Amino acid sequence: MSTLLVTGGAGFIGSNFVHYVLENTEHYVIVLDKLTYAGNLNSLEGLPANRFEFVHGDITNSDLVDNLVQRVDAVVHYAAESHNDNSLVDPRPFLDTNIVGTYTLLEAVRRHNKRFHHVSTDEVYGDLELDDPNKFTSTTPYNPSSPYSSTKAASDLLVRAWVRSFGVQATISNCSNNYGPYQHVEKFIPRQITNVLAGLTPKLYGTGENVRDWIHADDHSSAVLTILNNGTIGETYLIGADGERNNKDVIEEILEIMGQPRDAYEHVIDRPGHDLRYAIDSSRLREELGWTPKYVDFHQGLQSTVQWYMDNEAWWGPQKQATETRYAEQGQ
Ligand code: NAD
Ligand code: TDX
């Protein structure tokens, strides 16, 4: 049994990871989270009190981070400003949390010689043409498009530099688009599901030809745990479940699952700089570390996600109006 510090554990993927770890391992978990608009303590309800504690705070607070890092065996770093659209309106919090926050954690694990796993995104690699036969691998050159993805790329490079220059015991993972329970309603899939539930029209950016490579959050969690246990220090692992789909197909699939006409959505103004396609080659993680995803049927995963939002309006309801007001200001 060991103790993990999970940053951003009240967010979408972090909270799924905390649930996964407490259900599938003996670890003790400390969550450090600032509870920004994206953090939600209700996502951590029902966890065993004897194996879990929550600390409200900022990863850029070096004294707080130092104290917590001393208490744990490893840090799993999820905390971030995570939404591309927000980064186009106000990039500053992205620089503070994603870059300075990661730097603050790296300095603490360096001082105390603790294992560090950095959770990152496939967006650092930029985008692919629709007909490109290649997928992203760990040697694809970095080419981020948005303020969000450029700050994640910067944080990855900091981790690599701290490994090489200071011998920090770190691994990095770059994962594709996640879906599942506890995802904020600003993101594509929950936004469309909750639009239907709230009587609003689902919104597709531009033509909807953009392709995302979907993975269920539980599969992301099992991959991170696998890398934490068996990954090689200094290495980067790409996480993906071969779930490529264009946005138009996904919105139509959601409408069909929810008993609506497949064309009951509207096209809205496109995202500036909108990445066309992401696709992950996860063969290294599968072949070297023996990881395999469990959710191979996207339709089934989407059905259970729709059901989760239908059953949990008390969780998402309070976020919905403010999110749609923000989008309306951007014409989206
Ligand atoms: P999210 O926005 O749902 O959650 C982020 C969490 O971090 C929130 O709980 C928030 O309160 C917390 N946080 C933000 N700033 C903080 C700070 N300064 N100090 C402490 N806590 C802070 O994000 P998510 O979608 O769960 O993403 C989690 C991580 O996974 C991010 O690093 C993101 O880049 C990465 N990632 C996300 C996806 C995806 O599809 N969502 C895919 C690949 C990688
Ligand atoms: O209302 C919408 N309509 C729409 O067509 C929204 C919110 C999005 N979209 C499109 C934009 C993207 O092509 O759907 C796709 C997915 O959008 P997001 O959910 O905003 O995700 P994306 O920008 O792809 O980034 C996500 O995956 C990588 C996460 O938000 C990032 O944190 C992660 O790094």
Side-chain angles (χ1 to χ4, degrees):
M1 198 274 277
S2 54
T3 301
L4 303 182
L5 177 64
V6 179
T7 71
F12 163 45
I13 308 178
S15 63
N16 275 286
F17 179 74
V18 172
H19 282 277
Y20 189 89
V21 165
L22 291 171
E23 275 162 31
N24 293 288
T25 75
E26 301 292 311
H27 297 316
Y28 185 91
V29 172
I30 304 174
V31 166
L32 170 61
D33 198 294
K34 187 179 174 181
L35 297 179
T36 66
Y37 79 95
N40 192 338
L41 270 185
N42 295 331
S43 307
L44 297 170
E45 266 177 8
L47 296 173
N50 60 340
R51 288 178 54 213
F52 165 72
E53 75 190 71
F54 179 79
V55 177
H56 184 200
D58 194 320
I59 56 165
T60 64
N61 178 340
S62 52
D63 290 339
L64 174 65
V65 163
D66 199 76
N67 282 332
L68 290 171
V69 166
Q70 283 185 68
R71 290 182 52 203
V72 302
D73 301 292
V75 178
V76 187
H77 176 34
Y78 287 94
E81 285 294 335
S82 70
H83 195 39
N84 277 299
D85 292 321
N86 296 344
S87 81
L88 296 164
V89 177
D90 180 13
R92 181 62 203 238
F94 290 75
L95 277 79
D96 293 336
T97 291
N98 300 359
I99 302 177
V100 179
T102 301
Y103 156 76
T104 307
L105 288 158
L106 283 168
E107 283 292 83
V109 294
R110 175 188 170 197
R111 271 192 296 276
H112 301 292
N113 195 25
K114 297 293 168 76
R115 176 83 170 82
F116 186 71
H117 181 72
H118 179 63
V119 177
S120 192
T121 170
D122 59 0
E123 297 194 17
V124 299
Y125 301 114
D127 58 355
L128 299 163
E129 293 299 327
L130 295 178
D131 59 358
D132 191 333
N134 298 307
K135 297 182 174 194
F136 298 139
T137 71
S138 59
T139 57
T140 303
Y142 274 35
N143 187 26
S145 313
S146 73
Y148 162 69
S149 52
S150 63
T151 60
K152 290 299 291 187
S155 67
D156 293 7
L157 298 183
L158 291 178
V159 177
R160 290 184 184 188
W162 261 243
V163 169
R164 173 141 178 190
S165 300
F166 305 123
V168 162
Q169 304 284 298
T171 42
I172 300 175
S173 55
N174 297 85
C175 187
S176 60
N177 281 62
N178 285 220
Y179 71 99
Y182 304 115
Q183 186 168 29
H184 194 280
V185 295
E186 70 188 354
K187 302 297 197 304
F188 179 55
I189 288 179
R191 185 180 186 206
Q192 313 315 329
I193 298 170
T194 56
N195 275 354
V196 174
L197 294 175
L200 304 169
T201 308
K203 309 275 191 291
L204 187 66
Y205 292 176
T207 59
E209 65 182 335
N210 309 66
V211 170
R212 296 295 182 264
D213 190 352
W214 294 100
I215 180 172
H216 193 279
D218 265 358
D219 283 331
H220 189 181
S221 296
S222 70
V224 167
L225 209 51
T226 301
I227 297 165
L228 192 64
N229 290 334
N230 302 318
T232 304
I233 298 303
E235 290 298 345
T236 291
Y237 296 90
L238 272 67
I239 306 173
D242 297 329
E244 278 190 73
R245 283 201 168 43
N246 75 36
N247 295 340
K248 184 170 177 291
D249 287 346
V250 173
I251 212 166
E252 289 177 358
E253 205 167 334
I254 290 170
L255 285 160
E256 190 182 313
I257 289 170
M258 300 186 76
Q260 306 290 314
R262 282 174 69 88
D263 61 355
Y265 61 88
E266 60 182 324
H267 294 271
V268 294
I269 177 173
D270 207 353
R271 173 185 286 172
H274 197 174
D275 279 341
L276 187 54
R277 173 173 163 239
Y278 306 137
I280 287 274
D281 175 352
S282 62
S283 51
R284 176 172 204 191
L285 177 63
R286 294 171 193 245
E287 284 159 20
E288 286 180 22
L289 303 186
W291 173 83
T292 46
K294 245 176 55 187
Y295 289 80
V296 284
D297 183 341
F298 178 73
H299 187 76
Q300 220 176 349
L302 195 56
Q303 268 177 328
S304 64
T305 303
V306 167
Q307 191 61 49
W308 189 87
Y309 283 89
M310 289 172 70
D311 294 342
N312 289 279
E313 185 164 350
W315 182 91
W316 60 263
Q319 317 157 353
K320 185 66 183 168
Q321 198 177 344
T323 303
E324 289 307 317
T325 303
R326 247 180 12 233
Y327 275 125
E329 284 164 7
Q330 310 304 319
Q332 294 179 320

